[in-house]
Amino acid sequence: MGEEQAQTPAATPPGIALDEPRFGTRLLRRFAAVDWSRIGMGTLGIVALVIAWWLVALIIGDSVFLPTPAATVGTLVHYLTHPYPSQGDTLIGNTLISLARIVVGFTWGALAGIALGALMAGVRPIRLIVDPLIELGRPLPPLAFIPLLIVWFGIGEAPKIILIGVGVIPVMVVSVVAALDAVPEEYVEAALSLGATRRYALLHVRIRAALPAMITGLRLAMGMSWTSIVAVEMIAATAGLGYVILEASNYLVTPMIFSGILLIAVVALVLDGLLRLLRRLVAPMG
Amino acid sequence: MADVELKRVSKRYVHGRRTTETLRDVSLHVRDGEFVSLLGRSGCGKTTLLRIVGGFVNADGGEVLVDGAPVSQPGSDRGMLFQHPMLFPWLTVLDNTLFGPRATGRNSPAARARAMELLQIVGLGGFEFHYPKQLSGGMMHRAAFARAMMAEPKILLMDEPFGALDALTRAGMQQFLLDLWNRRRFTVVLVTHDVEEAVLLSDRVAVMAAGPGQIVETIPIELPRPRTYEMSETPEFVQLKRRVRQSVEQTPARGAMVGMQLTAGG
Ligand SMILES: Nc1ncnc2c1ncn2[C@@H]1O[C@H](COP(=O)(O)OP(=O)(O)OP(=O)(O)O)[C@@H](O)[C@H]1O
Ligand SMILES: [Mg+2]
């Protein structure tokens, strides 16, 4: 439209009087929107499970078969700061070891998977070449690679971190490709007709629009990481929560087995919560 | 100046060993400030033609000139509105409106003030900080309008922009578009298969036929401006509507699309 036609009609004064909520306020509001009824119902489920566990444990009355929640928590709290097994690390230490492996393995796997997925979504020949490889590898449980990785890399940190990545990559590739494919072409076209360059439209529209779905992919991949790390720690490790659980099983220390499982659940929940938080940040309206 | 000239534009799509001739020798001249509708049965190539003007698809033959310069890619001189508003869900209404200025490095307090003003004009004052999901369908379309207008396009290309709205909201949007166009007189190419909409809004209606897609007739709509929705009951209007509808109905129905419905009241 030419300038001469772009006058403002007198009836509609420019509306700059409104003030935008400050960024901090907006952030607060976003997280203050907690759904209390959901939290209430969720807590109810957990309480019910603990009560059921307690009742069954009391009826059976065999602490090796099924310790009570109290006995389990007692063990857990004690060994948080005491080594288990006695020549090993504390539960906190073992948790941190597993966590570190997860973080490193997950990070490299996720980065590699995102890069590969983005390339496949953007460059057709790459997609045609890599797609069958991913499809071939995807049904294989990562655990099948453990013996091979031990032969190649021994039982140090390398095979564990590699294993986690190997499990994460296909999950991320599949979800990144799906996320990018699902972005309507018209988003990009709208951006181009607003003057964006192709590069800007790719970064600020196509990839941006795919972010929430990619983060959902990260959550799935995170689940996969736990499967890998616990398995490899049970087979070839001298520390970590998987190792603690297996060790406790060998000596029939059932409360310790439960403690290990509980710790995994708690740490996994926290990591997943972080990813959900991230998703809420990038997709303000869900 | 903002005129669009299509000269013997043709387009083929090849799928496997079959070729569809989607457009053959389509010529059309849309003058500066003119409102032209493309009307025709489903599948006759309206969207393809509009996307060629938009620069999203390249023609196989012929020329597309905007202000005398050949079109080869999308640009902010041609604003595009789709059937769905295509607002970016991660941005507020205001940030959606400011997408163009940001993408072109022209964001400024002045641009922001202009965006606020445009949102007022389209009736979204007070909704600047809402996300698209918090708006109704009609409001989303108006926000998409504001976003497109922000780039100051010389030409607005619209592909059934109100096709997904309910009848009442659609009528409201048509009136809104009439008022906006009346004030600013930008050049418009509107794709529709709603006869009434075409007659109400346009200076000329280009009737398209399928197989291969072509313009069979261009019907001038010589109704007085400014127009309002109430005019759709006048005898002149009804007569023009009948004339346009007959023209479309004479075009051959295409294969399985025989049952296509033309939305028209009269
Ligand atoms: N990307 C494409 N690949 C192959 N064929 C296509 C493509 N786009 C359009 N066509 C073909 O071109 C013809 C016209 O399609 P187009 O979408 O332009 O029709 P239209 O008039 O907009 O129809 P509608 O009113 O249903 O939206 C159709 O036969 C369609 O199959
Ligand atoms: Mg169409």
Side-chain angles (χ1 to χ4, degrees), chain A residues 89-181:
Chain A
D89 208 334
T90 61
L91 275 183
I92 289 183
N94 279 305
T95 305
L96 290 178
I97 287 169
S98 293
L99 183 63
R101 288 170 179 159
I102 288 260
V103 168
V104 176
F106 175 81
T107 305
W108 90 260
L111 289 178
I114 291 170
L116 193 57
L119 276 176
M120 285 169 68
V123 189
R124 201 165 162 71
I126 295 184
R127 184 186 201 132
L128 293 179
I129 294 168
V130 180
D131 209 36
L133 300 179
I134 295 287
E135 286 311 309
L136 212 65
R138 208 157 60 97
L140 292 174
L143 317 188
F145 295 102
I146 295 178
L148 188 62
L149 289 173
I150 292 175
V151 171
W152 284 349
F153 302 104
I155 60 163
E157 291 307 311
K160 300 175 182 68
I161 286 161
I162 291 171
L163 185 80
I164 295 173
V166 166
V168 164
I169 287 173
V171 178
M172 279 320 289
V173 164
V174 170
S175 52
V176 166
V177 170
L180 287 169
D181 280 356

Side-chain angles (χ1 to χ4, degrees), chain A residues 188-209:
Chain A
V188 174
E189 293 179 352
L192 293 177
S193 67
L194 291 169
T197 59
R198 292 203 179 265
R199 203 181 114 89
Y200 190 93
L202 175 69
L203 287 174
H204 289 82
V205 175
R206 185 141 186 239
I207 292 176
R208 180 63 184 80

Side-chain angles (χ1 to χ4, degrees), chain A residues 32 87 277:
Chain A
Q87 76 284 11
L277 205 70

Side-chain angles (χ1 to χ4, degrees), chain A residues 190-197 200 205, chain B residues 76 88 91 94-108 111 115 146-152:
Chain A
L192 293 177
S193 67
L194 291 169
T197 59
Y200 190 93
V205 175
Chain B
S76 61
F88 305 129
L91 296 178
L94 179 64
D95 287 336
N96 263 286
T97 314
L98 285 171
F99 182 90
R102 289 205 173 111
T104 49
R106 284 188 211 128
N107 194 21
S108 64
R147 184 176 69 175
M149 305 292 286
M150 197 61 197
E152 306 202 322

